[in-house]
Amino acid sequence: MDGLNVSIAFFFLVAGVCQVLRWLSRRLLSPGAHGCLARELAGSFQLCSSCLELRMLMEIGPWGGGFGLDVVLTLLFLLSAVHGASSDGASANPAVSLQEFLLLEAGLAATVAKLLAQGAGAGTGWAVTRLYWSWELTQLHFIQNLIAPECSSSIRTSLPHAAFVEGSCSFLFHLVLLKVRQSHPLCRVPALAATVTFLTYTAGPFTGAFFNPALATATTFHCSGNSFWDYIQVYWLGPLAGMLAALLLFQGNIPRLFQKNLLYSQKSKYKVPKAKVAAQVEGDKPQLKRKGGKSNSEPRA
């Protein structure tokens, strides 16, 4: 269990460093630079570093550390909750940033800046975590260093099935996100953390259940077993297609592309009371009778 304690200390250290970076950037940078660059970079760094260490525990822990999947899933839920509570509004996910762009909540320049910051943060997280593993503080890290150069692909099923799995995970995640994103953090953070934990448990054996293109790029694109285009199809096109499907189902349209609602009819916001309508109908009847009576009173030839 010493290896698990070192990993937990690493999680706390990464979260603390990222929180300090957010505090400094909020003080030193303009609101635009903080929102588009600093907090996305810090959030991606925190997410990628934590995910890499957690994946190491998931792969080596059962036979090298003496703890099971239940411990890893509990840590995943807690880490997801900590990330959601401390992210300061950062998504650390290119699919979420593109969703905000399609919802007209962010401009093109801000979205591009977020994507670049997410890529830089994920790459920095990968480099720092590899350096941390090289210190071999525990036996788990020693084993990880031995197998890291020969890592294999996280795709353990056929390519179409893998793309469908990642797309389905992204679809469900974004549906939950769209539903709870305006909710109070006490409801939103546990709901998203539970969703991530459930999807990782069910889809992890097939693709690793990333449904985050930046995280997947830093974690598994360098591993052998599949081509670069295979990874693009599964970990980029799959999640983006799932995000678009969730947005279309939830909104009925994609505001950035078209305003017409394709799935749901638009009901009028102003309703006329039924009693008023009935009174208007009854008020029209005497007028019809008077008109009819006037025409009958005319002399006939």
Side-chain angles (χ1 to χ4, degrees), residues 88-167:
D88 193 22
S91 64
N93 187 336
V96 176
S97 297
L98 290 175
Q99 174 184 280
E100 294 171 352
F101 173 73
L102 294 175
L103 285 170
L104 303 177
E105 296 176 355
L108 180 60
T111 302
V112 172
K114 288 180 180 180
L115 297 180
L116 294 176
Q118 290 162 2
T124 305
W126 176 82
V128 170
T129 307
R130 291 292 299 269
L131 176 62
Y132 159 71
W133 286 343
S134 68
W135 296 343
E136 298 181 356
L137 299 178
T138 66
Q139 183 180 4
L140 299 178
H141 295 151
F142 173 75
I143 298 172
Q144 176 65 29
N145 268 342
L146 292 178
I147 65 176
E150 303 297 331
C151 68
S152 58
S153 171
S154 297
I155 301 176
R156 303 181 184 93
T157 183
S158 64
L159 202 62
H161 185 225
F164 175 77
V165 168
E166 283 291 310

Side-chain angles (χ1 to χ4, degrees), residues 54 58 71-81 193 196-197 200:
L54 192 62
M58 185 178 295
V71 175
V72 178
L73 291 176
T74 302
L75 285 175
L76 175 60
F77 176 81
L78 295 176
L79 289 173
S80 300
V196 170
T197 305
T200 302

Side-chain angles (χ1 to χ4, degrees), residues 178-241:
L178 289 166
K179 182 67 177 178
V180 304
R181 64 190 184 123
Q182 301 295 339
S183 304
H184 193 276
L186 289 177
C187 299
R188 183 179 68 251
V189 171
L192 292 176
T195 302
V196 170
T197 305
F198 170 75
L199 294 176
T200 302
Y201 174 72
T202 54
F206 301 104
T207 62
F210 293 102
F211 50 92
N212 182 332
L215 182 61
T217 301
T219 303
T220 194
F221 269 41
H222 62 281
C223 294
S224 60
N226 288 93
S227 66
F228 180 78
W229 176 239
D230 292 342
Y231 288 130
I232 289 292
Q233 292 181 73
V234 174
Y235 295 117
W236 276 87
L237 299 183
L240 292 179

Side-chain angles (χ1 to χ4, degrees), residues 23-42:
W23 181 80
L24 289 175
S25 67
R26 196 182 300 112
R27 294 246 176 182
L28 301 177
L29 301 178
S30 64
H34 168 71
C36 297
L37 296 174
R39 71 181 183 183
E40 289 292 344
L41 191 147

Side-chain angles (χ1 to χ4, degrees), residues 11-29:
F11 295 143
F12 276 108
L13 179 63
V14 168
V17 169
C18 291
Q19 198 64 18
V20 171
L21 290 176
R22 294 186 186 99
W23 181 80
L24 289 175
S25 67
R26 196 182 300 112
R27 294 246 176 182
L28 301 177
L29 301 178

